[in-house]
Amino acid sequence: MQVEYINPFIRSTLVTFDTMLGCTIKRDKLCMADQVSDKYEISGVIGLSGRAQGSVVVSLSREVAIQGAAAMLMMEPSEFDGLNEDVIDAVGEIANMVAGSAKAELEELNLSISLPNVVLGHPPDIRFPSQVKPIAVTFACPWGPMALKVGFTPVHAMI
Amino acid sequence: MQVEYINPFIRSTLVTFDTMLGCTIKRDKLCMADQVSDKYEISGVIGLSGRAQGSVVVSLSREVAIQGAAAMLMMEPSEFDGLNEDVIDAVGEIANMVAGSAKAELEELNLSISLPNVVLGHPPDIRFPSQVKPIAVTFACPWGPMALKVGFTPVHAMI
């Protein structure tokens, strides 16, 4: 996929964490998605479609998910009983905000976004179609490890 | 969500298995998605958007995934080394066909579909936003257990 497609998603992740969660994060270098180790317990997955078809996966460690939910719901992290329904909804909403702002920036693709799915596992392994070559970036976040994966492919005019 | 939204996805799953994989499956009763136990090792997840926002999760046991990939690629199941990249791509393509035919039937929603993500785990736990109340159906398939989950929510005119 074209590497420039990931930039609006990186910017929207930085802005979402800064303005919605009050947490300053810093991006690391870009890499191919399969070079990012799957150590993230919870991920928000959102599909995008329009003049391109794609999806974005926001992968968070347990600590980032709980701290993020606490910031979003104005609660203390200790009030959450692990990755409960509130945390799962918060991770879906973080993915939704990341996809929503990036969509606005990628105006020429006329994208619309699907509902988020949130995937939990030990950790789960989330793949893209092999021809897509998704791109990933990890972030330095004071709460713990987190990463973003984006895959896009052009839609042919006949579809 | 409106229960009738799942019917086009059920029909497209039946048709995809019948015509593309040469396997006759039979649907069981509808239930809420959280009543379906998570015993499926591999799932294809596709987002849909348009006049409604949604996503569809096609969950397959390891046996169904491998037999399905074998049927799609005209190979023997024994030729696959577990849930390898060919099987992962086949599961994404099955989800794509299920979503694609259902989209055609739900013409009034003017849906477009995202790229499939394929999720593997032990098994993975794939959730929808809690307000969506996704609906599920399991299928009797000669290859093994499989299920379909669909979640949809209306899109407000301003979005």
Side-chain angles (χ1 to χ4, degrees), chain B residues 40-61:
Chain B
Y40 307 98
E41 263 184 80
I42 184 164
S43 291
V45 179
I46 290 211
L48 298 108
S49 48
R51 295 208 185 100
Q53 264 186 321
S55 71
V56 54
V57 179
V58 181
S59 292
L60 308 177
S61 58

Side-chain angles (χ1 to χ4, degrees), chain A residues 19-34:
Chain A
T19 61
M20 303 305 291
L21 309 178
C23 177
T24 304
I25 60 175
K26 215 174 141 215
R27 57 164 287 188
D28 301 323
K29 275 193 215 140
L30 295 184
C31 60
M32 299 309 289
D34 56 11

Side-chain angles (χ1 to χ4, degrees), chain A residues 17-81:
Chain A
F17 270 73
D18 189 15
T19 61
M20 303 305 291
L21 309 178
C23 177
T24 304
I25 60 175
K26 215 174 141 215
R27 57 164 287 188
D28 301 323
K29 275 193 215 140
L30 295 184
C31 60
M32 299 309 289
D34 56 11
Q35 292 174 292
V36 171
S37 74
D38 283 309
K39 61 184 170 190
Y40 307 98
E41 264 184 78
I42 183 164
S43 293
V45 180
I46 290 210
L48 297 109
S49 48
R51 296 210 184 100
Q53 264 185 322
S55 72
V56 52
V57 179
V58 181
S59 292
L60 309 177
S61 58
R62 164 181 286 258
E63 297 71 30
V64 176
I66 290 176
Q67 293 269 6
M72 193 179 284
L73 300 170
M74 289 184 287
M75 289 168 69
E76 289 300 319
S78 59
E79 291 178 76
F80 293 99
D81 180 22

Side-chain angles (χ1 to χ4, degrees), chain A residues 45 47-49 53-55 57 85 88-89 112-120 124-130 132 151 153, chain B residues 45 47-49 53-55 57 85 88-89 112-120 124-130 132 151 153:
Chain A
V45 180
L48 297 109
S49 48
Q53 264 185 322
S55 72
V57 179
E85 200 170 271
I88 291 168
D89 274 351
S112 55
I113 63 180
S114 75
L115 279 186
N117 284 107
V118 174
V119 182
L120 298 100
D125 182 2
I126 304 174
R127 307 285 188 96
F128 290 73
S130 59
V132 172
T153 189
Chain B
V45 179
L48 298 108
S49 48
Q53 264 186 321
S55 71
V57 179
E85 200 169 271
I88 291 170
D89 273 351
S112 54
I113 63 180
S114 76
L115 280 186
N117 284 106
V118 173
V119 182
L120 297 101
D125 181 2
I126 304 175
R127 307 284 188 95
F128 290 73
S130 59
V132 171
T153 189

